[in-house]
Amino acid sequence: QLQLQESGPGLVKSSETLSLTCTVSGGSISSSTYYWACIRQPPGKGLEWIGTIYYSGSTYYNPSLKSRVTISVDTSKNQFSLKLSSVTAADTAVYYCARAGGHNSVIGGAFDIWGQGTMVTVSS
Amino acid sequence: SYELTQPPSVSVSPGQTARITCSADALPKQYAYWYQQKPGQAPVLVIYKDSERPSGIPERFSGSSSGTTVTLTISGVQAEDEADYYCQSADSSGTWVFGGGTKLTVL
């Protein structure tokens, strides 16, 4: 059964770069059927899609975050990573990793498997 | 950019039917997906491709589509269905988007 696990610092200083790693277990990140996504949720607020990556390295970013976001993939480690630069208090959130259906996926563009999420707080 | 609009809250008594709508501002409408999120937990996919139900999701959850509006229907609502529900879609340019979420209260 495929699982996702987020890891990274729980506290990041304002203006610095937030780094998060998502490890995929129980399956291969190199599947041609799926994409891999980062999603966040500020305390008490809704879900926000950050970006998505394919195992080949193709990326798609939320236009509102695009200038600060980089998502990369390491197929040898079955991991993908998020970097969000120049963070402010507004970036404080629970950050999730998720699997997204690809072009030929039965589930379409849904996020069908999620990690448990990790809270990241931006401090001044 | 593509936007999805949901009502902030819906209330229903146990055993009644809850309907949560999600309106898209773009044509043609892409497929919609629905997630249930309980406090302190990650979201769970309950409907994909407008009306398909993943394995393990109770039959009382169903989805439908009309024009640019999709609806999540929960028939015979149970206390355990109290949660936040989010719709989501993805446009053809590779942008995924979530609705603002709807808090379902079971009275």
Side-chain angles (χ1 to χ4, degrees):
Chain A
Q1 182 178 351
L2 189 136
Q3 294 183 324
L4 293 149
Q5 179 67 57
E6 304 88 352
S7 60
L11 191 64
V12 181
K13 291 184 178 179
S14 183
S15 80
E16 296 190 344
T17 296
L18 179 159
S19 295
L20 181 74
T21 297
C22 303
T23 301
V24 178
S25 60
S28 175
I29 202 170
S30 299
S31 166
S32 61
T33 307
Y34 298 102
Y35 291 81
W36 307 93
C38 298
I39 296 157
R40 71 180 183 179
Q41 184 172 37
K45 296 187 178 181
L47 300 168
E48 181 179 32
W49 171 71
I50 299 171
T52 301
I53 191 165
Y54 195 51
Y55 78 95
S56 64
S58 298
T59 52
Y60 306 87
Y61 297 138
N62 186 325
S64 68
L65 298 170
K66 188 174 183 177
S67 64
R68 299 194 292 130
V69 172
T70 302
I71 299 178
S72 58
V73 64
D74 186 336
T75 55
S76 67
K77 294 182 178 179
N78 232 28
Q79 294 177 335
F80 61 105
S81 299
L82 166 70
K83 290 189 184 300
L84 180 64
S85 64
S86 305
V87 298
T88 69
D91 295 310
T92 293
V94 174
Y95 285 75
Y96 294 101
C97 302
R99 186 178 78 169
H103 299 297
N104 299 316
S105 169
V106 170
I107 62 169
F111 301 108
D112 68 333
I113 300 175
W114 296 64
Q116 65 184 21
T118 186
M119 181 69 198
V120 179
T121 301
V122 176
S123 66
S124 56
Chain B
S1 62
Y2 198 81
E3 290 191 6
L4 300 174
T5 301
Q6 299 180 235
S9 63
V10 168
S11 299
V12 64
S13 298
Q16 302 269 308
T17 297
R19 294 180 179 85
I20 301 173
T21 58
C22 174
S23 297
D25 68 350
L27 287 171
K29 184 188 73 61
Q30 305 292 324
Y31 278 127
Y33 310 88
W34 289 95
Y35 303 86
Q36 176 193 67
Q37 186 181 34
K38 296 182 179 180
Q41 298 182 18
V44 173
L45 179 68
V46 295
I47 294 291
Y48 66 96
K49 287 186 175 178
D50 290 350
S51 60
E52 300 295 322
R53 195 173 51 249
S55 62
I57 300 302
E59 291 185 6
R60 64 179 181 273
F61 288 87
S62 63
S64 61
S65 175
S66 179
T68 58
T69 298
V70 292
T71 301
L72 172 68
T73 300
I74 310 172
S75 304
V77 167
Q78 300 180 7
E80 66 195 52
D81 299 331
E82 185 163 287
D84 294 326
Y85 291 85
Y86 294 90
C87 63
Q88 173 252 316
S89 190
D91 70 18
S92 57
S93 67
T95 298
W96 281 256
V97 64
F98 287 97
T102 298
K103 181 176 180 60
L104 175 66
T105 300
V106 181
L107 301 171

